[in-house]
Amino acid sequence: MSKRFLLCVLAAVVSISARPITDYTKKQEAWVETILSEMTLEEKVGQLFMIAVFSNRREADYTIVENQIRKYHLGGLAFFQGNALKQAELTNRYQAAAKIPLLIGLDAEWGLGMRLNNAFSFPKAITIGAAKDIELAEQVSEEIARQCKRIGVHFNFSPVGDINSNPKNPVINYRSFGESPLNVSELTSAFVRGHRKYNILTSAKHFPGHGDTHVDSHYDLPVLQHSLKHIQEVESAPFKAMIADSVSSVMIGHLNVPALDNGVPATVSERIIKDYLQKELGFTGLVISDALNMKGLLKSFPVGEAEVRAFKAGNDMLLQTSNLDKAYNAVLAACINGRITEEELNHSVRKILKSKYWAGLHTYKPVDLRNISEDLDTERSKELKQLIYNKAVTVTRDEFGLIPLKGLATLKMASIGVGVDQENLFQSTLELYGDVNSYLLQDKPARSTDWKSIAEEAVKNDLVIVSIHKVRQSEKLDYGITEETLNMLRYIQENSRLIVCVFGNPYSLKFFDEFETVMCGFEDEEEAHMAAANVLFGVNSAQGKVPVNTLSADGKLDYGYEVESFARLGLAMPSEVGMSAAKLQEIKKMVNSAIMGEEFPGCQVLVARKGKVVFYEGFGNMKYNNGQAVNRHTLYDLASVTKVASTLQAIMMLYDQGKINLDEKLSTYLPELLGTNKSRLIIKDILLHQAGLKAFVPFFDQTRFGSGQYNPYYFSNAPLTPGHIPISDELGVNPIIKDSVFSWVEKSALINAPGSQYVYSDLGLLLLQKLVERISGRNLDAFVGANIYEPMGLHSMMYNAFTQKTKDQIAPTEVNGDFRKAAIHGTVHDPNAALIGGVAGHAGLFSNAWDLARLMQMNLNGGYYDDRQFFSKETIDFFTKPQSKVSHRALGWNRPTGPGDGTVSQYASSKTYGHTGFTGTCVWVDPEKDLIFVFLSNRVYPSANNQKIIKNKTRQKIHDIAYKALLD
């Protein structure tokens, strides 16, 4: 910064302190007049210019810019390509070369990512227009402004105030908030207000309106062919609104507007700027030209003359001239020869200096280069981006009311991604939510052979969801929609139900009018993928409205079906449910540390609150040493979590139906227990683990000879005897053994008087299994499958996972750990459960964390899920509350015992219920916090002797993070 500038600032301070000035305007004017009084003519002319600069060039280019700043006394710089850190470094360097601080400008209509590599991009204006949420738009604007300020940008050349009423517009298009003057006015004003909170200058562009044109002003002069009345009522509406909201500046577009000044480009038209904008609309702020290197102006006027005319017409700042030396000297000469008067020049320079004062440049400080990336990459930005897409997703056609999807229990679906070479978040989320087979078409189909085989497979399903990706932003080449893509859709619609989801420019919707169900996601972003999947599956409602006339749907504007949600469990941002995303990210560090310490080879962690999953990831591998990676679909052996996820669910349902009385003796329902030591056992005592039963009996010892050989009556080695059930790769068990095991349970000794002592027991759950099967007349797996899992669409929750899934989808458990002396992979780990064929009341269930969380959500909802009441809230409340002075447990459910319990958070409320599993699993539900936590691992691989997860209380520590993430 120059010595002379500092002296000017000091003089201004002395002047201010000499008289009691408290009014902002007076302070601003004092600073401006002090600076202005010290400026030469050359310096004043230089303040009018703002040139284009880049942060991805060579050192020689940066030196040239520094020299231009000194030689031409530039008023500002407009950055384009590069990255945020380098731009900030150059900003400091360039500011140091300037006598008067520079205004740093950037096109950041949708955030820094519009111009800078690896910077954050928010949804485009047309998407925000579809969301129609003024408050949310202002919050997005505020975050963009914060990021601008962080890297030293003072001037954001936005918002776009153009009414895009021409679908063929090649340059505005998706950059506009839409076609409704009211919607555009409200959203642009919100944008202005958001930036004002950080004193970032905004520029309403492209005055007097570039929306209803079909020529790109970068290449030629567009014509706005409307009457004065139309311009006043439509094109000018957003600009009037922004002026009323004190927009910092107005950018003049290179436009021919016959109704205002026929044949004269707006940039050089006094009638348009001075008469219409300033006098009629009352704008007194900074006027800035659009880039003066654009052919829309240069075809009419050469460099130099264009800049002089632009200034004379009323532009205070001249943006991006194509030849700085010519332009500067032409304006300087015009000032010397009187074509530009001193009064005119001072008037504009005053406005520029006032803008600099408002932006904080009277107390300029260099940009702090530390932690820029971290400061820009915030959870708040990600949250706002997701919220916009949530509100923007629009159902544009739904002739048969398919959305949200219904009957998920039996609905077989296929998904085809067009224009994607790998599975995207849209398809992976569909697979998570339902029974979906996914296919990919890497390129847009050019011939029928590109799509025929995939489509023929897809239509074998009840429904096919086709997502259209890589949609072009312009109408050229029909937005990238090929005729063969449409032919494929026609074929699918003729042979199955079809839903089309377009992740791109809504103007492309005109190509999809013939299809029965169509959605628009507006952009091909992960957040749009998740938002669309959530609408499809009834996680969220559809509220979006297409904000432009796409020439489809009978030419409607602001159209879209309002679709209600089914409140199904689905993905969401943590902030939506009062949780901190940053805090939840600490789970990753802790889990990865545990994997490095070989507490378990891999795991899944899920956190849900208020019916929304805010954290769900798979970590590590199924085996140590780079085995199959764990993903969100990997199935785990739940071990004793089976007790509450299967047997207890069945017991609650039968209780709710009045088919069992918990205060009755078990022998009332199982008369074979009469005459045994189990004849007086009360069902409630069994659920509370206070029935006097042994914790565990190794029944498999009774199935072998003294030599340790398998009894061939019970077992067969590969090849298995027909009808035998596999319990390892090489061993099968005779189903008849189930009767023997139950007989051995009935004959097992009691260790104390029923109701006198708490002893956690597997045997009680085997007895309850028999109770369920006796009353229902069905095997346990069949009963819970038909009555709970299938109606809820829990496609990953199953016994004997090997019968439906391949090994690369199932995490292995122990190797040579029990009587089977084999690697256990896909069959149940628990030896007693294996004995009875893998379906047991205490163990045997497999699932991923997602379906287990959905089951728990149903319980948390009071037995209600997906428009179905499985059992009453009163039943859930009864089973989950304390029932005994002997046992700390609820009925079947485990409850926290205190800080020393290493499987549940120390912050869990007293109402929390859930269970743990021997294989390294747990699930906890806290009704008070409306919080669900699921942790699934195979810590027993390759040996159950690995106790690290227990000693380190890892499950508790991870659960603690979920509680620390709560913001309310």
Side-chain angles (χ1 to χ4, degrees):
M1 202 63 61
S2 73
K3 182 176 180 181
R4 193 179 77 184
F5 172 72
L6 294 175
L7 290 173
C8 289
V9 173
L10 180 61
V13 172
V14 171
S15 173
I16 291 169
S17 61
R19 43 203 166 93
I21 299 176
T22 57
D23 180 71
Y24 167 84
T25 302
K26 291 181 179 179
K27 291 179 181 179
Q28 181 191 50
E29 288 177 352
W31 183 83
V32 168
E33 293 305 320
T34 301
I35 301 298
L36 186 64
S37 67
E38 297 291 328
M39 294 175 70
T40 65
L41 174 63
E42 290 79 5
E43 289 171 341
K44 291 177 182 178
V45 171
Q47 286 298 296
L48 307 180
F49 287 91
M50 202 170 200
I51 66 169
V53 294
F54 305 82
S55 59
N56 61 350
R57 301 295 172 87
R58 298 167 301 174
E59 175 58 32
D61 297 300
Y62 305 146
T63 301
I64 289 172
V65 173
E66 283 181 303
N67 293 335
Q68 288 177 319
I69 292 169
R70 295 187 181 101
K71 180 178 179 181
Y72 298 108
H73 322 289
L74 296 176
L77 306 174
F79 273 92
F80 285 84
Q81 303 156 2
N83 67 73
L85 179 58
K86 187 63 179 179
Q87 178 172 317
E89 291 174 356
L90 289 173
T91 294
N92 288 347
R93 179 174 169 180
Y94 294 153
Q95 291 285 19
K99 291 181 179 180
I100 299 172
L102 299 157
L103 272 178
I104 304 298
L106 187 74
D107 278 313
E109 294 170 18
W110 53 85
L112 304 185
M114 180 176 177
R115 292 294 184 223
L116 303 181
N117 297 329
N118 302 318
F120 195 84
S121 289
F122 288 90
K124 309 295 191 300
I126 202 166
T127 308
I128 296 175
K132 295 175 71 72
D133 188 315
I134 298 169
E135 183 179 347
L136 196 53
E138 186 170 333
Q139 291 173 20
V140 168
S141 169
E142 188 176 342
E143 180 59 18
I144 292 174
R146 185 195 67 81
Q147 294 187 16
C148 284
K149 196 174 192 73
R150 181 63 185 88
I151 66 169
V153 170
H154 317 104
F155 202 159
N156 185 356
F157 303 129
S158 59
V160 172
D162 302 315
I163 305 290
N164 203 85
S165 54
N166 189 338
K168 297 182 181 296
N169 193 314
V171 64
I172 303 304
N173 202 293
Y174 60 91
R175 296 166 61 196
S176 165
F177 289 103
E179 191 170 342
S180 160
L182 176 61
N183 196 30
V184 176
S185 297
E186 290 179 335
L187 292 171
T188 51
S189 292
F191 197 97
V192 170
R193 292 193 299 273
H195 272 53
R196 192 160 58 234
K197 294 174 183 177
Y198 280 91
N199 281 58
I200 300 297
L201 299 163
T202 48
S203 188
K205 63 184 184 184
H206 306 80
F207 189 82
H210 203 332
D212 195 5
T213 61
H214 63 274
V215 172
D216 186 345
S217 52
H218 289 85
Y219 305 105
D220 208 340
L221 186 66
V223 179
L224 184 64
Q225 289 283 16
H226 281 303
S227 67
L228 177 61
K229 183 175 185 295
H230 188 281
I231 292 172
Q232 290 172 328
E233 294 177 354
V234 179
E235 274 74 20
S236 296
F239 294 96
K240 291 176 182 178
M242 286 186 277
I243 291 169
D245 243 316
S246 302
V247 68
S248 315
S249 75
V250 171
M251 179 180 287
I252 309 302
H254 305 312
L255 301 159
N256 176 11
V257 189
L260 294 175
D261 195 356
N262 190 24
V264 181
T267 328
V268 295
S269 169
E270 288 191 39
R271 289 183 179 180
I272 291 175
I273 299 175
K274 291 183 177 179
D275 295 342
Y276 187 59
L277 174 63
Q278 294 178 331
K279 291 181 182 178
E280 185 170 335
L281 301 188
F283 181 65
T284 59
L286 196 66
V287 179
I288 183 169
S289 73
D290 203 347
L292 293 170
N293 60 0
M294 295 165 66
K295 293 179 181 178
L297 180 65
L298 292 181
K299 281 190 174 183
S300 301
F301 303 100
V303 177
E305 181 64 18
E307 284 75 11
V308 172
R309 284 177 177 262
F311 180 79
K312 286 291 292 181
N315 289 282
D316 301 304
M317 292 201 82
L318 307 173
L319 180 64
Q320 207 176 338
T321 177
S322 60
N323 188 317
L324 178 59
D325 187 68
K326 277 188 179 181
Y328 175 85
N329 285 311
V331 174
L332 180 62
C335 291
I336 293 171
N337 65 31
R339 186 177 176 189
I340 296 174
T341 68
E342 181 180 6
E343 182 182 0
E344 289 174 322
L345 180 62
N346 285 346
H347 176 71
S348 289
V349 174
R350 280 191 177 95
K351 289 167 73 175
I352 293 167
L353 292 175
K354 282 183 178 181
S355 297
K356 291 187 176 185
Y357 184 96
W358 186 84
L361 286 172
H362 62 299
T363 56
Y364 166 76
K365 293 180 181 178
V367 179
D368 185 348
L369 302 179
R370 296 169 297 178
N371 303 318
I372 280 184
S373 295
E374 293 82 356
D375 292 344
L376 296 180
D377 186 20
T378 65
E379 292 303 324
R380 176 60 173 162
S381 295
K382 297 170 186 174
E383 168 199 354
L384 289 169
K385 186 175 183 178
Q386 186 64 63
L387 291 175
I388 289 290
Y389 284 117
N390 287 353
K391 291 209 166 185
V393 169
T394 305
V395 178
T396 61
R397 299 177 71 86
D398 192 13
E399 294 184 8
F400 296 99
L402 293 183
I403 302 174
L405 299 176
K406 304 160 190 72
L408 296 182
T410 57
L411 188 63
K412 302 295 182 183
M413 293 169 279
S415 169
I416 302 176
V418 179
V420 285
D421 55 5
Q422 58 185 2
E423 189 176 79
N424 52 76
L425 185 62
F426 180 66
Q427 289 183 297
S428 64
T429 304
L430 297 185
E431 292 169 2
L432 200 62
Y433 288 177
D435 186 6
V436 180
N437 295 309
S438 294
Y439 305 90
L440 300 176
L441 282 172
Q442 181 174 350
D443 299 311
K444 303 290 179 64
R447 56 190 66 85
S448 62
T449 53
D450 293 340
W451 58 263
K452 198 64 179 285
S453 60
I454 287 178
E456 286 175 346
E457 282 298 311
V459 297
K460 294 176 183 178
N461 293 274
D462 305 315
L463 172 70
V464 182
I465 301 164
V466 179
S467 54
I468 309 295
H469 304 265
K470 294 181 182 175
V471 178
R472 295 175 181 269
Q473 292 289 16
S474 70
E475 194 182 33
K476 290 181 180 179
L477 299 177
D478 295 331
Y479 299 96
I481 309 300
T482 66
E483 185 61 28
E484 283 303 324
T485 297
L486 300 175
N487 285 337
M488 179 185 71
L489 297 177
R490 292 175 185 122
Y491 172 83
I492 293 171
Q493 184 163 275
E494 288 172 2
N495 293 278
S496 183
R497 287 288 194 198
L498 170 69
I499 295 177
V500 181
C501 192
V502 181
F503 289 110
N505 195 315
Y507 284 114
S508 68
L509 291 172
K510 67 180 182 179
F511 292 103
F512 303 99
D513 255 3
E514 63 189 281
F515 304 111
E516 297 161 352
T517 308
V518 182
M519 294 176 61
C520 185
F522 292 92
E523 300 180 48
D524 205 358
E525 298 281 335
E526 285 198 345
E527 293 82 359
H529 297 169
M530 189 169 90
N534 281 344
V535 167
L536 263 176
F537 277 82
V539 174
N540 293 336
S541 60
Q543 306 171 53
K545 305 290 182 184
V546 177
V548 292
N549 176 6
T550 65
L551 303 182
S552 68
D554 301 321
K556 296 176 183 175
L557 178 64
D558 288 335
Y559 68 93
Y561 290 76
E562 291 191 5
V563 179
E564 293 301 315
S565 75
F566 282 162
R568 291 173 177 147
L569 191 73
L571 299 170
M573 295 294 291
S575 60
E576 295 181 56
V577 293
M579 298 189 78
S580 164
K583 178 60 68 173
L584 287 171
Q585 290 304 304
E586 294 179 13
I587 291 174
K588 294 182 179 180
K589 182 178 179 180
M590 183 167 290
V591 169
N592 287 327
S593 176
I595 291 172
M596 289 292 292
E598 295 194 345
E599 295 184 29
F600 42 82
C603 69
Q604 291 173 345
V605 181
L606 183 149
V607 178
R609 191 176 193 217
K610 298 180 180 178
K612 304 291 185 183
V613 175
V614 295
F615 187 96
Y616 183 31
E617 291 196 26
F619 296 89
N621 302 301
M622 297 188 196
K623 300 179 180 180
Y624 294 111
N625 302 322
N626 300 317
Q628 180 81 22
V630 173
N631 58 42
R632 298 192 299 184
H633 301 284
T634 302
L635 268 61
Y636 279 92
D637 183 332
L638 301 185
S640 285
V641 172
T642 302
K643 293 178 171 71
V644 297
S646 176
T647 312
L648 184 59
Q649 301 296 309
I651 291 290
M652 288 193 294
M653 180 168 282
L654 294 174
Y655 170 83
D656 198 67
Q657 294 170 355
K659 294 181 179 180
I660 58 173
N661 182 342
L662 302 188
D663 294 316
E664 276 284 1
K665 298 171 185 175
L666 183 60
S667 59
T668 302
Y669 305 97
L670 302 177
E672 60 268 33
L673 295 179
L674 293 171
T676 73
N677 61 3
K678 310 295 186 306
S679 64
R680 301 180 65 83
L681 297 188
I682 305 300
I683 297 174
K684 181 180 287 186
D685 284 339
I686 297 173
L687 288 166
L688 292 167
H689 294 270
Q690 60 181 37
L693 295 165
K694 286 185 175 182
F696 173 77
V697 176
F699 295 123
F700 47 83
D701 285 345
Q702 301 183 49
T703 65
R704 295 183 294 179
F705 297 120
S707 62
Q709 290 182 320
Y710 299 122
N711 185 334
Y713 177 74
Y714 293 124
F715 301 106
S716 63
N717 293 307
L720 304 185
T721 301
H724 281 204
I725 302 169
I727 57 175
S728 74
D729 287 347
E730 300 295 327
L731 189 65
V733 65
N734 189 337
I736 200 171
I737 199 174
K738 181 175 179 181
D739 291 335
S740 298
V741 171
F742 280 125
S743 175
W744 297 332
V745 172
E746 293 164 8
K747 294 174 183 177
S748 64
L750 296 179
I751 58 174
N752 51 54
S756 65
Q757 185 179 344
Y758 166 75
V759 176
Y760 175 69
S761 172
D762 285 348
L763 303 190
L765 273 296
L766 284 167
L767 291 171
L768 292 177
Q769 174 187 358
K770 192 168 186 180
L771 172 64
V772 170
E773 294 180 343
R774 181 66 55 80
I775 293 176
S776 69
R778 309 182 73 173
N779 287 337
L780 176 62
D781 57 336
F783 179 79
V784 292
N787 289 282
I788 299 176
Y789 304 162
E790 291 171 16
M792 288 188 65
L794 307 182
H795 300 292
S796 79
M797 189 165 283
M798 64 189 71
Y799 286 93
N800 287 325
F802 70 91
T803 62
Q804 300 180 53
K805 302 291 183 179
T806 57
K807 285 187 176 181
D808 62 353
Q809 298 172 299
I810 310 168
T813 52
E814 201 165 7
V815 178
N816 298 325
D818 62 20
F819 71 95
R820 286 168 283 185
K821 300 300 180 185
I824 308 304
H825 195 172
T827 57
V828 63
H829 174 262
D830 183 90
N832 281 342
L835 272 185
I836 59 174
V839 179
H842 68 290
L845 198 63
F846 288 78
S847 182
N848 59 20
W850 183 266
D851 277 353
L852 183 55
R854 286 207 285 171
L855 181 65
M856 293 302 109
Q857 187 66 51
M858 181 268 283
N859 283 262
L860 186 55
N861 291 349
Y864 181 84
Y865 192 85
D866 200 4
D867 204 29
R868 178 166 176 168
Q869 194 75 46
F870 290 88
F871 29 77
S872 68
K873 182 179 184 301
E874 290 74 20
T875 291
I876 290 288
D877 292 343
F878 177 64
F879 272 77
T880 56
K881 71 179 182 180
Q883 300 277 350
S884 171
K885 294 181 180 180
V886 173
S887 171
H888 71 277
R889 291 184 172 240
L891 293 171
W893 298 101
N894 196 6
R895 299 176 63 253
T897 58
D901 186 342
T903 65
V904 61
S905 173
Q906 58 187 317
Y907 308 113
S909 77
S910 60
K911 295 181 179 178
T912 299
Y913 57 89
H915 217 282
T916 58
F918 184 79
T919 51
T921 61
C922 72
V923 59
W924 293 103
V925 179
D926 189 340
E928 191 171 289
K929 298 296 184 181
D930 206 351
L931 186 71
I932 294 172
F933 174 74
V934 182
F935 178 91
L936 304 182
S937 78
N938 55 336
R939 68 98 188 163
V940 296
Y941 177 85
S943 171
N945 293 326
N946 181 2
Q947 302 284 316
K948 292 178 182 178
I949 191 177
I950 300 169
K951 292 177 181 177
N952 296 334
K953 298 183 178 180
T954 303
R955 286 173 288 189
Q956 181 189 65
K957 291 175 181 176
I958 298 172
H959 198 190
D960 281 346
I961 294 173
Y963 278 92
K964 291 177 182 178
L966 296 175
L967 299 174
D968 53 16

